[in-house]
Amino acid sequence: MFFRKLKNLIILNAIFFYHLGYANEVAITFDDLPGQQDLSAQKLEPINNQIITTLRKFNAPAIGFVNEYKLYSKGQTKEKIAILKSWVDNGFSLGNHTFSHHSLTNSNLDEYEQDVLKGETISKKLMNEAGMDYHYFRYPYLDMGRPLQKRTAFEKFLKAQNLIIAPVTINTDDWKFNRSLNQNPKSKDEVIQKYLAYTRARFAFYEKVSKKLFNRNIKHVWLLHVNLLNSLVINDLLKIAQEYNYNFVTLDAALKDLAYLSTDTFYAATNQSWLYRWDLSKNKVINWSDEPVLDNNLAIIPNDIKFAIKDDIKTINKQTVAENQTPD
Ligand SMILES: [Zn+2]
């Protein structure tokens, strides 16, 4: 009896410590709320609802980054604001993704800053009314701005506004698959299959990179978008994260990881993971051509490597990046 109890205790302890210290952690972030601008509130509602319901089923916290220009479509503003409110009512946070979704590099700094302020009118109010703190900013296209002077000036502005940059370590390029689904709805099953395979490949890759850079798997931040595709497969996506042994945590919790204090002198108008920025800012120990990327048919191919440090743009691989590929 005693030994059986002891054995149970050991097993319980093992489970406890497993969850305490050894499980991976990821914060889920959704960009471009409330979804594609050209979709009606009636189409956006089920997309958002499906995502919200599934996140709740998995007990997964999340934050949604809003482009408020999308709220002002004729006769639908009330309904679109109600969609944002449903995120907050379900306990999820909202963050700032600028009003208009422009890239910082291609914008006038003053205008961009005004666009940030304009972009939080409704979201901040909804958050504050629910007693929640509004304090995260996500760069459209993950573009932190070039040249360095512009980047630094904008970071000062963010600080003055009490806005914290929301980085991304796991980027699964969902918008490319969603675009393909929109262009050819009949290809749904194939697109989904490729998307899930790619998500697995990228989860595996970023874990490997993290272990090489930090000797451990850091707390990750996963970038997704509110779109039709993700509403169809959100259950599968969260299961994949669990397959890779991830627990779901808030962005606040993930960013407590000291990895996020790493030096980052990388800047460029690209949508690269922060793991890439940290590596290229420091040791350059990762072979980034191992990073799974996609060709135009959504097949996985080796990566191209372009980076800019202190305005010095270099290409360390012969393949050229398709310049016209930008996230929505
Ligand atoms: Zn975006």
Side-chain angles (χ1 to χ4, degrees), residues 31-32 67 97 101 140-141 225 328:
D31 281 11
D32 300 3
N67 301 122
H97 196 39
H101 206 282
Y141 312 104
H225 293 81
D328 59 18

Side-chain angles (χ1 to χ4, degrees), residues 32 101 140-142 171 173-176 179 223 225 270-271 324-328:
D32 300 3
H101 206 282
Y141 312 104
L142 304 183
N171 182 355
D173 291 333
D174 56 341
W175 61 275
K176 291 181 186 172
R179 183 179 59 186
L223 167 64
H225 293 81
T270 68
N271 60 341
N324 58 354
Q325 290 198 350
T326 48
D328 59 18

Side-chain angles (χ1 to χ4, degrees), residues 116-271:
V116 171
L117 297 177
K118 197 176 165 189
E120 62 186 36
T121 318
I122 308 285
S123 319
K124 192 174 186 173
K125 191 166 165 270
L126 289 172
M127 287 281 283
N128 291 344
E129 280 170 2
M132 293 159 91
D133 200 13
Y134 179 91
H135 57 230
Y136 280 112
F137 174 78
R138 164 75 46 77
Y139 289 95
Y141 312 104
L142 304 183
D143 173 12
M144 297 182 78
R146 297 183 59 221
L148 181 60
Q149 205 184 8
K150 191 183 207 175
R151 169 180 162 162
T152 314
F154 181 68
E155 283 174 4
K156 266 190 198 153
F157 164 85
L158 285 180
K159 224 177 186 175
Q161 297 301 323
N162 279 324
L163 286 169
I164 300 165
I165 297 167
V168 171
T169 58
I170 300 177
N171 182 355
T172 42
D173 291 333
D174 56 341
W175 61 275
K176 291 181 186 172
F177 294 92
N178 187 61
R179 183 179 59 186
S180 181
L181 177 66
N182 282 340
Q183 283 165 352
N184 185 6
K186 280 188 191 155
S187 68
K188 188 178 103 179
D189 291 346
E190 192 192 333
V191 169
I192 287 176
Q193 201 185 23
K194 284 179 172 174
Y195 177 38
L196 298 181
Y198 185 67
T199 298
R200 284 194 175 88
R202 284 221 149 180
F203 261 78
F205 178 74
Y206 294 128
E207 180 171 344
K208 199 174 79 182
V209 169
S210 171
K211 285 178 175 164
K212 198 151 185 195
L213 287 181
F214 297 99
N215 291 318
R216 65 196 169 84
N217 198 20
I218 64 163
K219 297 177 204 248
H220 285 278
V221 180
W222 186 5
L223 167 64
L224 292 165
H225 293 81
V226 166
N227 57 34
L228 175 66
L229 175 64
N230 283 332
S231 77
L232 296 173
V233 296
I234 181 68
N235 199 71
D236 301 295
L237 292 175
L238 297 181
K239 274 195 191 154
I240 287 173
Q242 289 183 331
E243 264 172 44
Y244 282 85
N245 199 23
Y246 281 89
N247 287 330
F248 304 115
V249 296
T250 62
L251 185 55
D252 286 337
L255 296 189
K256 290 213 166 75
D257 194 309
L258 296 180
Y260 291 94
L261 297 177
S262 305
T263 309
D264 171 19
T265 51
F266 168 93
Y267 52 97
T270 68
N271 60 341

